[in-house]
């Protein structure tokens, strides 16, 4: 390998990508799982704050309305006890609003999230946070448009070619983290992936016949555009003599 290629690889490896942190996800649409030590410390801080006054409880009740939860004091007391003692996953909006009130470090919370789950689909993701906006991430936009089925409450990828199907699965896992899904010739994908891709590209239409590439695509570096083109060719391209 010549020096120019080595320099190019080093430049690529040192590329700083945009990132999507957990608090930039749709907070009302997923729950997070902490490691046990951090979970205990998190709820001990809540218990300490609740014992001082009703201010924290009032704040959480008011904020719950933003997420269409409409908590009251009785419901809050029961839910917080259940989250602490029994629940494997805790609503992300509750974690975020608690962190804001208690002035907790959002990045420290992110480092202690070991998995998350969406309310619809119930697919658990062993998280890789933050989500990095690499060319691989951008290529998923093409897969959503071509062989993806994207509805308001569903993200499904269908591909007869098993090799290409497995490639897509590895792609999503490399970006977001490990998850399990068991559908032949297709895969149900965690809906939150669709939400993040849609939000980043400001895309709302993924129909193959009537969608347009979002303007964001044309602002991206060259490798992202190449990745989108490659994703399109893999799904819907035809390689013949011309």
């Amino acid at each position: 390998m010549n020096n120019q290629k080595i320099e190019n690889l080093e430049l690529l490896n040192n590329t700083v990508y945009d990132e999507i942190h957990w608090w930039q996800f749709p907070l009302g649409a997923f729950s997070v799982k902490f490691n046990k030590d951090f979970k205990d410390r998190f709820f001990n801080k809540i218990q300490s704050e609740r014992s001082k006054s009703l201010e924290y409880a009032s704040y959480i009740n008011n904020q719950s309305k933003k997420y269409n939860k409409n908590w009251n004091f009785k419901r809050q007391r029961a839910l917080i006890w259940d989250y602490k003692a029994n629940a494997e996953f805790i609503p992300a909006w509750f974690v975020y609003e608690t962190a804001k009130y208690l002035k907790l470090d959002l990045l420290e919370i992110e480092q202690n999230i070991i998995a998350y789950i969406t309310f619809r689909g119930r697919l658990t993701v062993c998280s890789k946070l933050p989500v990095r906006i690499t060319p691989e991430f951008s290529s998923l936009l093409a897969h959503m448009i071509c062989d993806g089925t994207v509805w308001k409450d569903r993200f499904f990828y269908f591909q007869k070619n098993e090799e290409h199907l497995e490639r897509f699965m590895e792609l999503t896992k490399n970006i977001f983290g490990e998850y399990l899904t068991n559908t032949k010739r297709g895969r149900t994908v965690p809906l939150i992936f669709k939400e993040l891709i849609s939000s980043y590209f400001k895309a709302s239409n993924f129909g193959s016949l009537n969608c347009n590439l979002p303007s964001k695509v044309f602002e991206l570096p060259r490798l992202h555009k190449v990745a989108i083109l490659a994703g399109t060719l893999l799904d819907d391209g035809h390689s013949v003599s011309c």
Side-chain angles (χ1 to χ4, degrees):
M1 185 178 290
N2 60 40
N3 290 336
Q4 182 64 48
K5 288 183 178 179
I6 292 174
E7 289 176 3
N8 288 342
L9 281 175
E10 289 178 348
L11 180 63
L12 183 61
N13 290 334
N14 292 326
T15 299
V16 177
Y17 294 107
D18 289 342
E19 296 175 336
I20 304 176
H21 295 277
W22 73 273
W23 62 86
Q24 297 167 316
F25 285 31
L27 290 169
F30 76 112
S31 294
V32 298
K33 178 181 179 179
F34 293 133
N35 64 65
K36 186 179 185 308
D37 178 65
F38 185 82
K39 182 182 179 183
D40 289 343
R41 288 190 283 121
F42 180 76
F43 280 100
N44 286 341
K45 290 177 182 178
I46 291 175
Q47 185 175 348
S48 174
E49 190 65 29
R50 282 171 59 86
S51 67
K52 295 176 184 177
S53 70
L54 293 176
E55 290 184 9
Y56 165 80
S58 296
Y59 172 82
I60 291 296
N61 287 347
N62 289 332
Q63 296 305 106
S64 73
K65 296 177 175 58
K66 288 168 39 178
Y67 307 94
N68 297 316
K69 307 303 178 184
N70 298 313
W71 282 17
N72 54 42
F73 288 103
K74 182 178 180 180
R75 178 172 172 78
Q76 179 184 145
R77 183 169 59 250
L79 286 172
I80 289 180
W81 181 87
D82 185 60
Y83 294 155
K84 179 180 180 181
N86 301 316
E88 186 178 8
F89 290 88
I90 309 162
W93 75 265
F94 170 74
V95 174
Y96 174 74
E97 296 297 346
T98 295
K100 274 179 47 179
Y101 186 90
L102 298 179
K103 296 180 172 56
L104 305 180
D105 187 341
L106 296 178
L107 285 175
E108 182 184 6
I109 291 173
E110 183 167 81
Q111 291 164 4
N112 287 280
I113 295 174
I114 59 177
Y116 57 85
I117 191 169
T118 54
F119 293 151
R120 295 174 179 171
R122 310 306 296 176
L123 292 177
T124 300
V125 182
C126 296
S127 59
K128 292 178 66 173
L129 293 171
V131 173
R132 301 171 73 223
I133 310 301
T134 62
E136 286 183 324
F137 177 94
S138 296
S139 74
L140 291 179
L141 177 67
H143 291 304
M144 291 172 73
I145 292 171
C146 296
D147 282 342
T149 298
V150 183
W151 297 335
K152 181 179 180 181
D153 60 353
R154 191 181 185 197
F155 179 9
F156 185 84
Y157 183 77
F158 180 83
Q159 174 61 254
K160 290 182 180 179
N161 186 307
E162 288 290 335
E163 183 179 345
H164 288 180
L165 180 58
E166 289 307 313
R167 178 189 176 278
F168 173 82
M169 292 299 296
E170 290 303 314
L171 194 64
T172 55
K173 290 177 180 180
N174 191 42
I175 297 165
F176 297 103
E178 291 286 334
Y179 65 97
L180 294 177
T181 179
N182 300 308
T183 309
K184 293 181 179 179
R185 286 199 170 182
R187 293 293 186 270
T188 300
V189 186
L191 189 64
I192 199 164
F193 297 177
K194 169 251 183 182
E195 300 291 346
L196 295 179
I197 297 165
S198 301
S199 175
Y200 182 78
F201 286 105
K202 296 181 172 56
S204 57
N205 188 344
F206 297 95
S208 298
L209 298 178
N210 56 7
C211 71
N212 293 310
L213 284 177
S215 58
K216 179 80 173 178
V217 168
F218 303 99
E219 302 168 3
L220 295 173
R222 179 175 177 271
L223 280 180
H224 289 258
K225 297 172 184 174
V226 171
I228 292 170
L229 178 60
T232 304
L233 292 174
L234 280 169
D235 279 1
D236 285 347
H238 297 275
S239 178
V240 293
S241 58
C242 57

